[in-house]
Amino acid sequence: MESFIEVPPDCDFPLENLPWGVFKARTGAIGDSPEVHVGVALGQHVISATTLHVAGYLRDLPEADTRVFAKGRLNELMAAGRPAWRAARATLQRLLSSSEGELRDQPELLARVVHKQEDVEMLLPARIGDYTDFYASRQHATNVGAMFRGLANALNPNWLHLPVGYHGRASSIIPAGASVRRPWGQVMPANASAPVFSPSSQVDFELEVAAFVGPGNALGEPITVAGAWDHVFGLVLMNDWSARDIQKWEYVPLGPFNGKNWATQISPWVVTLEALEPFRCSPPPQIDPEVLPYLREALPYTYDVELTVDITPAGYDRATTVTRSNLKHLYWTFSQMIAHHTAGGCNLRPGDLLGSGTISGEEPGSRGCLLELTHAGRDEVVLESGTAGVAGGDGGGGGVASETPGVRRRYLEDGDEVALRGWCGGEDQRRRIGFGLCNGKLLKCRT
Amino acid sequence: MESFIEVPPDCDFPLENLPWGVFKARTGAIGDSPEVHVGVALGQHVISATTLHVAGYLRDLPEADTRVFAKGRLNELMAAGRPAWRAARATLQRLLSSSEGELRDQPELLARVVHKQEDVEMLLPARIGDYTDFYASRQHATNVGAMFRGLANALNPNWLHLPVGYHGRASSIIPAGASVRRPWGQVMPANASAPVFSPSSQVDFELEVAAFVGPGNALGEPITVAGAWDHVFGLVLMNDWSARDIQKWEYVPLGPFNGKNWATQISPWVVTLEALEPFRCSPPPQIDPEVLPYLREALPYTYDVELTVDITPAGYDRATTVTRSNLKHLYWTFSQMIAHHTAGGCNLRPGDLLGSGTISGEEPGSRGCLLELTHAGRDEVVLESGTAGVAGGDGGGGGVASETPGVRRRYLEDGDEVALRGWCGGEDQRRRIGFGLCNGKLLKCRT
């Protein structure tokens, strides 16, 4: 499948991908109107579905709102459901194909439809009504639990029976590229008798993947696990910025609050399940214990998405990969998260966001946050040496310490940049389906 | 202050109140258009600000969006801030006053502006972007903590230092009058070795008051406690329906989720702080320990709002008051909740909802949920006898058991109706500022 628009060989966005996003011109306007457009990524360009719609294309989508591309957000497309998503994808792939002249041969329209990515600013893909974050990685829950309760009691009694999750803060979800500010908060210093209010000294990233909800459900009408994937429009990368010291003091008994609600960052391109289809794979087996019937699927599946986290330390321009993980490591699938979330009748709405929780694998180098990588600050991650590693005496599974003198981190420092990446297709660049970048820089706290 | 529209003597909505709400006609339309109107309550009527605005009134509000009354929601008015709220209130009080003929003497306009409450359906007052629920009653936290950890360890170490809160589910907030369905969920039966999926057998109400956020704050820019009340548009009653068995099994370590997200019910009329002004009072002192400076106010205040909960058991038509409490019992004020919520930079938006958590007082009869009233189902509440009381052997603070044979409840049963009421002014009916009703019926579970 080839397009008349050039797609470099190592690019995340071939014609097979066509992830959806929302954007506006960095300066001036895109075409005529409106200010904010909906569209897809192709190579190093964006394709405006908004302009195509005005020009008479993409009009025959089943169940789709007539203003589906006119509102500067993807909620209406998400609400329409899979038949509409497939129809839009087929139309766009046809119009953009190298074997098709219909769009290519209308230079004036083409100029209004196709824009360089560098000329647009990416916005949030949807108006996010509610954001839920799960805790679906067994390795992550085990690693974190072991630090606080010992390995024997690492997993709480409920963990293997249900996908534990909590309601997160929707207002502070921001798109990739934005900077975040180190938060102040109430923390209890070690050996202190009273808490203090200070800038967090334990700012962390969390490597997550999040699902945008497509069609929702009515209040009181659960979504069954068998049909749950049909309620997923697509996936994005997510960095759930966390202040561990604030979180630790506040979280009993109602869960994380100010430790997390100051910023959650997502990649701006929503990769559809249609694009991910060739990379379906099996999730870890759930046999000990077997899960309850409402969470049990005849043929459970997830997607094989490779994930990395790079840190570029403040004052340097070289990134070091500190984590290599994969979506398929998750114990709970998004279909199970949706079935559980709605089992009591809770309603999901188009554009809601469901985070996976930190995705860690079995290997020490696959741990998805610094809390795990450094054992809550006991060890250090070495950056800028070209080889990431964990320094410190960890007989129980820590990584290999780098011998190269480098920049060391227990938690993030002001000016550090964190970049998440995700892609399918392994080293075979010709079939790479990528997620683009979820990057953000930590700024110093407010003074 | 008197209106030419009749206000019965025991009515919640005199001209001094004028709470804001959103409504549409039960049948047909209100006036010409749009379908959904914004307005205030007066006596047994609603006053359409939307129609008044179309007719040329309420046009001079400082900082207000020109479409402030046209969007079928209060978010734009909430965003405008206190000068606009005061100006709108003054205009409405003038137009509706018995000494003023301007509106009264335009019969055709009057007929389009004033409608009977029984002819309209009340909707949610705002599009609620995020909903946060706190845990601000010391008595509630103590009573619940004592059941699980004993009285000596009832309060967690953080509780007296910060207003503990968590993010709730915005999508399942519904207006008063709607019925709710008993949820299914995963629960761990006593003495069982594995959880089961079943209808909840421990459905409870929670007596709360919630604040609608007015002007918000930018991400990264905290609201100081001194100015925090200016970010509150007004208050409503809230019943945070809870399934205690689901909650108990799921809530460690990330907090309540499916135990609460199946329904949260609010009263539809938002009582403004302007109307509550005469009922300011002092909150409980915070001296042991003193709170950190970011939570400390020179002259802290809250409002003296009496609160009751009535239950009408299934099959009966008589309500029994099971709880008498008061907003002033809360240890943490809404201004402190806002200062804490935003201390790390989290942004609030106009129309966000902040729940107080269950409001319990010192007296056994002031406990704000059945979990507390029945000691987690150990005792029973007696209904329909005319005198509510707690039956069961409770030396440590239980209520007086009624001798009258009555309907007994440990938790709610299918068909039970719960009604929250709130008002200021005590027995002095002439200065009563009321909240209206927050009522809902529990339906049997889905089959």
Side-chain angles (χ1 to χ4, degrees), chain A residues 135 137-147 150-151 154-155 159 372:
Chain A
Y135 190 51
S137 159
R138 181 171 185 164
Q139 286 75 20
H140 171 66
T142 303
N143 292 340
V144 172
M147 280 181 234
L151 196 56
L155 286 183
W159 200 94
E372 288 174 76

Side-chain angles (χ1 to χ4, degrees), chain B residues 78 221 248:
Chain B
M78 291 166 169
E221 302 291 337
K248 186 177 178 184

Side-chain angles (χ1 to χ4, degrees), chain A residues 64-375:
Chain A
D65 188 300
T66 52
R67 304 198 60 222
V68 65
F69 298 119
K71 294 195 170 180
R73 61 189 189 208
L74 286 165
N75 297 72
E76 284 70 24
L77 181 63
M78 290 165 170
R82 199 162 305 285
W85 308 336
R86 287 194 174 138
R89 177 178 170 84
T91 298
L92 289 167
Q93 285 186 330
R94 181 179 64 75
L95 288 174
L96 295 163
S97 151
S98 56
S99 60
E100 179 79 42
E102 187 172 346
L103 176 59
R104 186 190 54 208
D105 298 343
Q106 297 186 63
E108 201 208 5
L109 176 60
L110 196 63
R112 286 184 290 131
V113 167
V114 182
H115 305 271
K116 289 183 186 164
Q117 281 172 30
E118 65 195 50
D119 291 341
V120 302
E121 178 188 346
M122 298 305 299
L123 308 176
L124 285 180
R127 192 178 73 202
I128 300 169
D130 277 289
Y131 151 52
T132 303
D133 202 16
F134 286 88
Y135 190 51
S137 159
R138 181 171 185 164
Q139 286 75 20
H140 171 66
T142 303
N143 292 340
V144 172
M147 280 181 234
F148 293 109
R149 292 178 297 275
L151 196 56
N153 301 306
L155 286 183
N156 282 301
N158 57 17
W159 200 94
L160 290 167
H161 295 283
L162 59 84
V164 171
Y166 74 105
H167 305 296
R169 181 79 194 176
S171 69
S172 52
I173 298 175
I174 55 175
S179 295
V180 302
R181 202 171 269 290
R182 178 185 298 274
W184 287 73
Q186 191 176 131
V187 301
M188 178 62 97
N191 308 317
S193 61
V196 298
F197 187 68
S198 72
S200 169
S201 60
Q202 299 182 357
V203 173
D204 200 354
F205 63 84
E206 286 194 339
L207 168 61
E208 304 198 19
V209 168
F212 269 104
V213 172
N217 60 306
L219 187 64
E221 303 291 337
I223 295 170
T224 62
V225 72
W229 274 115
D230 282 341
H231 293 264
V232 175
F233 175 73
L235 305 181
V236 293
L237 306 173
M238 185 165 95
N239 179 359
D240 186 20
W241 294 92
S242 299
R244 301 300 184 188
D245 40 2
I246 297 172
Q247 182 185 349
K248 187 177 178 185
W249 171 235
E250 76 182 357
Y251 90 102
V252 175
L254 300 186
F257 187 58
N258 281 356
K260 302 251 187 192
N261 66 18
W262 50 281
T264 306
Q265 199 157 27
I266 60 173
S267 56
W269 292 110
V270 189
V271 178
T272 66
L273 299 195
E274 284 66 44
L276 295 173
E277 194 63 35
F279 307 98
R280 272 198 196 190
C281 65
S282 294
Q286 296 177 329
I287 43 179
D288 183 25
E290 202 175 27
V291 297
L292 284 162
Y294 82 101
L295 294 172
R296 207 180 296 156
E297 282 177 285
L299 288 169
Y301 63 88
T302 181
Y303 298 93
D304 184 351
V305 181
E306 299 188 54
L307 302 165
T308 60
V309 181
D310 287 7
I311 299 178
T312 305
Y316 296 83
D317 58 3
R318 186 159 173 194
T320 302
T321 301
V322 297
T323 299
R324 293 177 188 278
S325 190
N326 193 302
L327 178 65
K328 71 183 179 187
H329 295 330
L330 289 181
Y331 190 78
W332 298 102
T333 62
F334 281 111
S335 49
Q336 292 178 310
M337 297 180 219
I338 288 171
H340 180 69
H341 201 323
T342 62
C346 181
N347 54 328
L348 305 183
R349 296 178 293 192
D352 284 352
L353 192 68
L354 309 175
S356 63
T358 305
I359 305 175
S360 297
E362 299 272 357
E363 303 302 314
S366 67
R367 293 170 177 173
C369 59
L370 287 171
L371 179 72
E372 288 174 76
L373 286 165
T374 71
H375 293 79

Side-chain angles (χ1 to χ4, degrees), chain B residues 48 112 134 169 172 175 181 187 195 199 211 253 297 314 317 354 358 365:
Chain B
S48 170
R112 285 184 291 131
F134 286 88
R169 181 79 194 177
S172 52
R181 202 171 269 290
V187 301
E297 283 177 285
D317 59 3
L354 310 174
T358 304

Side-chain angles (χ1 to χ4, degrees), chain B residues 1-145:
Chain B
M1 203 186 277
E2 227 172 303
S3 173
F4 59 86
I5 293 171
E6 191 203 340
V7 178
D10 59 345
C11 182
D12 275 351
F13 307 130
L15 192 55
E16 290 83 354
N17 193 350
L18 295 187
W20 287 92
V22 173
F23 47 86
K24 64 177 185 181
R26 284 198 187 276
T27 54
I30 294 176
D32 325 306
S33 66
E35 192 190 1
V36 179
H37 284 231
V38 166
V40 294
L42 178 63
Q44 292 162 328
H45 291 83
V46 297
I47 313 297
S48 170
T50 302
T51 301
L52 281 171
H53 190 259
V54 172
Y57 293 98
L58 296 166
R59 298 251 164 172
D60 52 350
L61 307 183
E63 304 293 327
D65 188 299
T66 53
R67 302 197 62 222
V68 65
F69 299 118
K71 294 195 170 179
R73 62 190 188 207
L74 286 166
N75 297 70
E76 284 70 23
L77 181 63
M78 291 166 169
R82 199 162 304 286
W85 309 336
R86 287 193 173 136
R89 176 179 170 84
T91 298
L92 289 167
Q93 285 186 329
R94 180 179 66 76
L95 288 174
L96 295 164
S97 151
S98 56
S99 60
E100 179 79 41
E102 187 173 344
L103 176 59
R104 186 189 55 209
D105 299 343
Q106 298 186 62
E108 201 209 6
L109 176 60
L110 196 64
R112 285 184 291 131
V113 167
V114 182
H115 305 270
K116 289 183 186 165
Q117 280 173 29
E118 65 195 51
D119 291 340
V120 301
E121 177 187 347
M122 297 306 299
L123 308 175
L124 284 181
R127 192 177 74 202
I128 300 169
D130 277 289
Y131 151 51
T132 303
D133 202 14
F134 286 88
Y135 190 52
S137 158
R138 180 171 186 165
Q139 286 76 21
H140 171 66
T142 303
N143 291 340
V144 172

